[in-house]
Amino acid sequence: SPHKAKGGWMDAQVLLTVDTELTWGRYARGCSWQENFARSYEAAGVGVPWQLRTLAEHGLKACFFVDPMPALVYGIEPIRRMIRPILDAGQEVQLHVHSFWHDLAEGREKPRFELTDFDAKGQCGLIRTARDLLTKAGAPDPIAFRSGSYAADEATLDALAELGIRYDSSHNGSHHPWPSALPLDPVQIAPLRQGGVIEIPVAQMEDKAGKLRHLQLCAVSAEELRQALLHAARQGHPLTTIVSHSFELATRDGLRPNRTLRRRFERLCAFLAEERDRLPTVHFADLDDLPLGASAVPLPARRLRRARRMAQQIWSNAVYERAL
């Protein structure tokens, strides 16, 4: 649990999470699984293998939420190839689910893209199928879950509890009430017990008055990430959960590195390495003594900080995405 550190700061754990998946768009354009894998997992040399090396260089922990559902369409081999390097690097694999793969495999004309498009029984069946595919591909039994697009509701938590999955990380206040549909306050960022599981919300900052922005690598600047983490340490937040994706550091076509985002990831890793004493990175397996129900408030908005990030985004999109 958090404790007083030097200078009156509090230790505040950090959960780096990477949603690791093959994408619908590449499937829809007729890509083989090998091409989808190359652009979604390896992603122009800045995908999961590069991220694993960078984490190792800085001595950091991260959780990779792997979606095994493409196995229903492509077979199990790509999922094995996703999981093995993560485990070999000493990082953690947990469960991620995009429901549309189920409907593609069933030949449904209009796939249901969100897990919450399914009733309680359907959700439980999908999560059970995904868990079994994940372990078949070589992962340990998952103890944590994040729904694709953060699409989760009370039925999702009931299913997780029934299946013995202890943690959910689908509550995203900036995507609430849809598709993130858990009955929680959007500003809830501290872990709490909810519906038979422990909910680990995605961290938020205040973007402007009354509007939240979640801490996703492509959504906030390096400055905002640093300030949000320092705020968490000052306030003694028990856990700050940051989101990224396997393909996030590449251009949208998966063919070129986005150097702005690559540098942002490198700067985040360097900062966390420097601050490891008061901002230690953790796995879900480390959270047995996690305080629940603590008070935690998102980083307040600052107009100049927001303006600097927006200028960076305009420049980055012009350089790396406009031609696409």
Side-chain angles (χ1 to χ4, degrees), residues 18-20 26 37-55 64 217 244-266 269 320-321:
V18 182
D19 293 355
T20 304
R26 293 184 181 105
F37 185 93
R39 296 196 190 192
S40 302
Y41 183 84
E42 295 172 335
V46 289
V48 171
W50 181 85
Q51 292 170 38
L52 290 170
R53 291 193 300 273
T54 305
L55 290 164
F64 290 76
L217 200 73
S244 184
H245 287 79
S246 51
F247 47 79
E248 191 158 315
L249 309 183
T251 52
R252 290 190 187 101
D253 62 2
L255 294 176
R256 293 186 300 148
N258 181 317
R259 291 182 175 83
T260 298
L261 295 177
R262 184 178 67 186
R263 283 193 298 269
R264 189 176 298 169
F265 184 80
E266 290 170 333
C269 289
Y320 296 111
E321 303 293 352

Coordinates of all heavy atoms in Angstrom, one line a residue, residues 18-20 26 37-55 64 217 244-266 269 320-321:
V18 N -0.9 -2.4 -22.3 CA -0.9 -2.3 -23.8 C -1.9 -3.3 -24.4 O -1.8 -4.5 -24.2 CB 0.5 -2.7 -24.3 CG1 0.6 -2.6 -25.8 CG2 1.6 -1.9 -23.6
D19 N -3.0 -2.7 -25.0 CA -4.0 -3.6 -25.6 C -3.4 -4.1 -26.9 O -3.0 -3.4 -27.8 CB -5.2 -2.8 -25.9 CG -6.0 -2.3 -24.7 OD1 -5.5 -2.7 -23.6 OD2 -6.9 -1.6 -24.8
T20 N -3.3 -5.4 -27.0 CA -2.5 -6.1 -28.0 C -3.4 -7.0 -28.9 O -4.0 -7.9 -28.4 CB -1.4 -7.0 -27.3 OG1 -0.6 -6.2 -26.5 CG2 -0.5 -7.7 -28.3
R26 N -7.8 -4.2 -41.1 CA -7.0 -5.0 -42.0 C -7.6 -6.3 -42.4 O -7.5 -6.7 -43.5 CB -5.6 -5.2 -41.3 CG -4.9 -3.9 -41.1 CD -3.5 -3.9 -40.5 NE -3.1 -2.6 -40.5 CZ -3.0 -1.9 -39.3 NH1 -3.3 -2.4 -38.2 NH2 -2.6 -0.6 -39.4
F37 N -0.7 -9.2 -38.6 CA 0.3 -9.4 -37.5 C 1.4 -8.4 -37.7 O 1.8 -7.7 -36.7 CB 0.8 -10.8 -37.5 CG 1.7 -11.1 -36.4 CD1 1.2 -11.7 -35.2 CD2 3.1 -10.9 -36.5 CE1 2.0 -12.0 -34.1 CE2 3.9 -11.3 -35.4 CZ 3.4 -11.8 -34.2
A38 N 2.0 -8.3 -38.9 CA 3.1 -7.4 -39.2 C 2.7 -5.9 -38.9 O 3.5 -5.2 -38.4 CB 3.6 -7.6 -40.6
R39 N 1.5 -5.5 -39.2 CA 1.1 -4.1 -39.1 C 0.5 -3.8 -37.7 O 0.5 -2.6 -37.3 CB 0.1 -3.7 -40.2 CG 0.7 -3.8 -41.6 CD -0.2 -3.1 -42.5 NE 0.2 -3.3 -43.9 CZ -0.3 -2.6 -44.9 NH1 -1.2 -1.6 -44.7 NH2 0.1 -2.8 -46.2
S40 N 0.0 -4.8 -37.0 CA -0.7 -4.6 -35.8 C 0.2 -4.9 -34.6 O 0.1 -4.3 -33.5 CB -2.0 -5.4 -35.7 OG -2.8 -5.1 -36.7
Y41 N 1.0 -6.0 -34.7 CA 1.8 -6.4 -33.5 C 3.3 -6.0 -33.7 O 3.8 -5.5 -32.7 CB 1.7 -8.0 -33.5 CG 2.5 -8.6 -32.3 CD1 1.9 -8.7 -31.1 CD2 3.8 -9.1 -32.5 CE1 2.6 -9.3 -30.0 CE2 4.5 -9.7 -31.4 CZ 3.8 -9.7 -30.2 OH 4.5 -10.3 -29.1
E42 N 3.8 -6.1 -34.9 CA 5.2 -5.7 -35.1 C 5.3 -4.2 -35.5 O 6.2 -3.5 -35.1 CB 5.9 -6.5 -36.2 CG 6.0 -8.0 -35.7 CD 6.5 -8.9 -36.8 OE1 6.2 -8.6 -38.0 OE2 7.0 -10.0 -36.4
A43 N 4.3 -3.7 -36.2 CA 4.0 -2.3 -36.4 C 5.2 -1.4 -36.7 O 5.6 -0.6 -35.9 CB 3.2 -1.8 -35.1
A44 N 5.7 -1.6 -37.8 CA 6.8 -0.7 -38.4 C 8.0 -0.6 -37.5 O 8.7 0.4 -37.4 CB 6.2 0.6 -38.6
G45 N 8.3 -1.7 -36.8 CA 9.5 -1.7 -35.9 C 9.3 -1.1 -34.6 O 10.3 -1.0 -33.8
V46 N 8.1 -0.6 -34.3 CA 7.9 0.0 -33.0 C 6.7 -0.6 -32.3 O 6.0 -0.1 -31.4 CB 7.6 1.6 -33.1 CG1 8.9 2.3 -33.4 CG2 6.5 1.9 -34.1
G47 N 6.4 -1.9 -32.7 CA 5.3 -2.6 -32.0 C 5.8 -3.3 -30.8 O 6.7 -2.9 -30.1
V48 N 5.1 -4.4 -30.5 CA 5.4 -5.1 -29.2 C 6.9 -5.5 -29.0 O 7.4 -5.3 -27.9 CB 4.5 -6.3 -29.0 CG1 4.8 -7.2 -27.8 CG2 3.0 -5.8 -28.9
P49 N 7.5 -6.1 -30.0 CA 8.9 -6.5 -29.8 C 9.8 -5.3 -29.4 O 10.6 -5.4 -28.4 CB 9.4 -7.1 -31.1 CG 8.1 -7.6 -31.7 CD 7.1 -6.6 -31.3
W50 N 9.7 -4.2 -30.0 CA 10.4 -3.0 -29.7 C 10.0 -2.4 -28.3 O 10.9 -2.0 -27.5 CB 10.2 -1.9 -30.7 CG 11.0 -0.6 -30.5 CD1 12.3 -0.4 -30.8 CD2 10.5 0.5 -29.8 NE1 12.7 0.9 -30.3 CE2 11.6 1.5 -29.7 CE3 9.3 0.9 -29.2 CZ2 11.5 2.7 -29.1 CZ3 9.2 2.1 -28.6 CH2 10.2 3.0 -28.5
Q51 N 8.7 -2.4 -28.0 CA 8.3 -2.0 -26.7 C 8.8 -2.8 -25.6 O 9.2 -2.3 -24.5 CB 6.7 -2.0 -26.7 CG 6.1 -0.9 -27.6 CD 4.6 -1.1 -27.8 OE1 3.9 -1.4 -26.8 NE2 4.1 -0.9 -29.0
L52 N 8.9 -4.2 -25.8 CA 9.4 -5.1 -24.8 C 10.9 -4.7 -24.6 O 11.4 -4.7 -23.4 CB 9.3 -6.5 -25.2 CG 7.8 -7.1 -25.2 CD1 7.8 -8.4 -25.9 CD2 7.3 -7.2 -23.8
R53 N 11.7 -4.5 -25.6 CA 13.1 -4.2 -25.4 C 13.3 -2.9 -24.7 O 14.1 -2.7 -23.8 CB 13.8 -4.1 -26.8 CG 13.9 -5.4 -27.5 CD 14.9 -5.3 -28.7 NE 14.5 -4.4 -29.7 CZ 13.7 -4.7 -30.7 NH1 13.2 -5.9 -30.9 NH2 13.4 -3.7 -31.6
T54 N 12.4 -1.9 -25.0 CA 12.5 -0.6 -24.4 C 12.2 -0.7 -22.9 O 12.9 -0.1 -22.0 CB 11.6 0.5 -25.1 OG1 12.0 0.5 -26.5 CG2 11.8 1.8 -24.5
L55 N 11.1 -1.4 -22.6 CA 10.8 -1.6 -21.2 C 11.9 -2.3 -20.4 O 12.3 -2.0 -19.3 CB 9.5 -2.5 -21.1 CG 8.2 -1.8 -21.5 CD1 7.1 -2.8 -21.8 CD2 7.7 -0.8 -20.5
F64 N 0.3 -6.7 -20.9 CA -0.2 -6.7 -22.3 C -1.5 -7.5 -22.3 O -1.6 -8.7 -22.0 CB 0.8 -7.4 -23.2 CG 2.1 -6.6 -23.4 CD1 3.0 -6.5 -22.4 CD2 2.3 -5.9 -24.5 CE1 4.2 -5.7 -22.5 CE2 3.4 -5.1 -24.7 CZ 4.4 -5.0 -23.7
L217 N -1.4 6.9 -24.5 CA -0.1 7.4 -25.0 C -0.3 8.4 -26.2 O 0.3 9.4 -26.3 CB 0.8 6.3 -25.4 CG 2.3 6.7 -25.5 CD1 2.9 6.9 -24.1 CD2 3.1 5.6 -26.2
S244 N -2.0 2.0 -23.8 CA -1.4 2.1 -25.1 C -1.9 0.9 -25.9 O -2.7 0.1 -25.4 CB 0.1 2.1 -25.0 OG 0.7 2.3 -26.3
H245 N -1.5 0.8 -27.1 CA -1.8 -0.3 -28.0 C -0.6 -0.9 -28.7 O 0.4 -0.1 -28.8 CB -2.8 0.1 -29.1 CG -4.2 0.3 -28.6 ND1 -4.6 1.5 -27.9 CD2 -5.3 -0.4 -28.6 CE1 -5.8 1.4 -27.5 NE2 -6.3 0.3 -28.0
S246 N -0.7 -2.1 -29.1 CA 0.5 -2.7 -29.8 C 0.9 -1.9 -31.0 O 2.1 -1.9 -31.3 CB 0.1 -4.2 -30.2 OG -1.1 -4.2 -30.9
F247 N 0.0 -1.3 -31.7 CA 0.3 -0.6 -33.0 C 0.3 0.9 -32.8 O 0.5 1.6 -33.8 CB -0.8 -0.9 -34.0 CG -2.2 -0.8 -33.5 CD1 -2.8 0.4 -33.3 CD2 -2.9 -2.0 -33.1 CE1 -4.1 0.5 -32.8 CE2 -4.2 -1.9 -32.5 CZ -4.8 -0.6 -32.4
E248 N 0.2 1.4 -31.6 CA 0.0 2.8 -31.4 C 1.2 3.7 -31.8 O 1.0 4.9 -32.1 CB -0.4 3.1 -29.9 CG -0.9 4.4 -29.6 CD -1.8 4.4 -28.4 OE1 -2.6 3.5 -28.2 OE2 -1.6 5.4 -27.6
L249 N 2.4 3.2 -31.8 CA 3.5 4.0 -32.1 C 3.9 4.1 -33.6 O 4.9 4.7 -34.0 CB 4.8 3.5 -31.3 CG 4.5 3.3 -29.8 CD1 5.8 2.8 -29.1 CD2 4.0 4.5 -29.1
A250 N 3.0 3.5 -34.4 CA 3.2 3.5 -35.8 C 2.1 4.4 -36.5 O 1.1 4.8 -35.8 CB 3.1 2.1 -36.4
T251 N 2.3 4.7 -37.7 CA 1.3 5.4 -38.5 C 0.0 4.5 -38.6 O 0.1 3.3 -38.4 CB 1.7 5.8 -39.9 OG1 2.3 4.7 -40.5 CG2 2.8 6.9 -39.8
R252 N -1.1 5.1 -38.9 CA -2.3 4.3 -38.9 C -2.3 3.1 -39.9 O -3.0 2.1 -39.7 CB -3.5 5.2 -39.3 CG -3.9 6.2 -38.1 CD -5.2 6.9 -38.4 NE -5.4 7.9 -37.4 CZ -5.2 9.2 -37.5 NH1 -4.8 9.6 -38.7 NH2 -5.4 10.1 -36.6
D253 N -1.5 3.2 -41.0 CA -1.4 2.1 -41.9 C -0.4 1.0 -41.4 O -0.2 0.0 -42.0 CB -1.0 2.6 -43.3 CG 0.4 3.3 -43.3 OD1 1.0 3.4 -42.3 OD2 0.7 3.7 -44.4
G254 N 0.3 1.3 -40.3 CA 1.2 0.3 -39.7 C 2.5 0.2 -40.5 O 3.2 -0.8 -40.2
L255 N 2.8 1.1 -41.3 CA 4.0 1.0 -42.2 C 5.2 1.8 -41.8 O 6.3 1.6 -42.2 CB 3.6 1.3 -43.7 CG 2.6 0.3 -44.3 CD1 2.3 0.8 -45.7 CD2 3.2 -1.1 -44.3
R256 N 4.9 2.9 -41.0 CA 6.0 3.8 -40.6 C 6.0 4.1 -39.1 O 4.8 4.2 -38.6 CB 5.9 5.1 -41.4 CG 6.2 5.0 -42.9 CD 6.2 6.4 -43.5 NE 4.9 7.1 -43.2 CZ 4.8 8.5 -43.0 NH1 5.9 9.2 -43.0 NH2 3.7 9.0 -42.8
P257 N 7.1 4.3 -38.5 CA 7.0 4.7 -37.1 C 6.5 6.1 -37.0 O 6.8 7.0 -37.9 CB 8.5 4.7 -36.6 CG 9.2 3.9 -37.7 CD 8.5 4.0 -38.9
N258 N 5.7 6.4 -36.0 CA 5.4 7.8 -35.7 C 6.4 8.3 -34.6 O 6.4 7.9 -33.5 CB 4.0 7.9 -35.1 CG 3.5 9.3 -34.8 OD1 4.3 10.1 -34.2 ND2 2.3 9.7 -35.2
R259 N 7.4 9.1 -35.1 CA 8.5 9.4 -34.2 C 8.1 10.2 -33.0 O 8.7 10.2 -32.0 CB 9.6 10.1 -35.0 CG 10.3 9.1 -36.0 CD 11.4 9.7 -36.8 NE 12.1 8.8 -37.6 CZ 11.7 8.4 -38.8 NH1 10.6 8.9 -39.3 NH2 12.4 7.5 -39.5
T260 N 7.0 11.0 -33.2 CA 6.5 11.8 -32.0 C 6.1 10.8 -30.9 O 6.4 11.0 -29.7 CB 5.4 12.7 -32.5 OG1 5.8 13.6 -33.4 CG2 4.8 13.4 -31.3
L261 N 5.3 9.8 -31.3 CA 4.8 8.9 -30.3 C 5.9 8.0 -29.8 O 5.9 7.6 -28.6 CB 3.6 8.1 -30.9 CG 2.4 8.9 -31.2 CD1 1.3 8.1 -31.8 CD2 1.9 9.6 -30.0
R262 N 6.8 7.6 -30.6 CA 8.0 6.8 -30.2 C 8.8 7.5 -29.1 O 9.1 6.9 -28.1 CB 8.9 6.4 -31.4 CG 10.0 5.4 -30.9 CD 10.8 5.0 -32.1 NE 11.6 6.2 -32.7 CZ 12.3 6.1 -33.8 NH1 12.3 5.0 -34.5 NH2 12.9 7.2 -34.2
R263 N 9.1 8.8 -29.4 CA 9.8 9.6 -28.4 C 9.0 9.7 -27.1 O 9.6 9.7 -26.0 CB 10.1 11.0 -29.0 CG 11.3 11.0 -30.0 CD 11.8 12.4 -30.2 NE 10.7 13.2 -30.8 CZ 10.5 13.3 -32.2 NH1 11.3 12.7 -33.0 NH2 9.6 14.1 -32.6
R264 N 7.7 9.9 -27.2 CA 6.8 10.0 -26.0 C 6.9 8.7 -25.2 O 7.0 8.8 -23.9 CB 5.4 10.2 -26.4 CG 4.4 10.6 -25.3 CD 3.1 10.9 -25.8 NE 3.1 12.1 -26.7 CZ 2.1 12.5 -27.5 NH1 0.9 11.8 -27.5 NH2 2.2 13.5 -28.3
F265 N 6.9 7.6 -25.8 CA 7.0 6.3 -25.1 C 8.4 6.2 -24.4 O 8.5 5.9 -23.2 CB 6.8 5.1 -26.0 CG 6.9 3.8 -25.4 CD1 5.8 3.3 -24.7 CD2 8.0 3.0 -25.4 CE1 5.8 2.1 -24.1 CE2 8.0 1.8 -24.8 CZ 6.9 1.3 -24.1
E266 N 9.4 6.6 -25.2 CA 10.8 6.6 -24.6 C 10.9 7.5 -23.4 O 11.6 7.2 -22.4 CB 11.8 6.9 -25.7 CG 12.0 5.9 -26.8 CD 12.8 6.3 -28.0 OE1 12.8 7.6 -28.2 OE2 13.4 5.5 -28.6
C269 N 9.1 6.1 -20.4 CA 9.9 5.0 -19.8 C 11.1 5.6 -19.0 O 11.4 5.1 -17.9 CB 10.4 4.0 -20.8 SG 9.1 3.0 -21.5
Y320 N 2.8 12.8 -40.1 CA 2.7 11.3 -40.1 C 1.4 10.7 -40.7 O 1.4 9.6 -41.1 CB 3.0 10.7 -38.7 CG 4.4 11.0 -38.2 CD1 4.6 11.9 -37.2 CD2 5.5 10.5 -38.8 CE1 5.8 12.2 -36.7 CE2 6.8 10.7 -38.4 CZ 6.9 11.6 -37.3 OH 8.2 11.9 -36.9
E321 N 0.4 11.5 -40.7 CA -0.9 11.0 -41.1 C -1.6 11.6 -42.3 O -2.4 11.0 -43.0 CB -1.9 11.0 -39.9 CG -1.4 10.2 -38.7 CD -1.3 8.7 -38.9 OE1 -1.7 8.2 -39.9 OE2 -0.7 8.1 -38.0

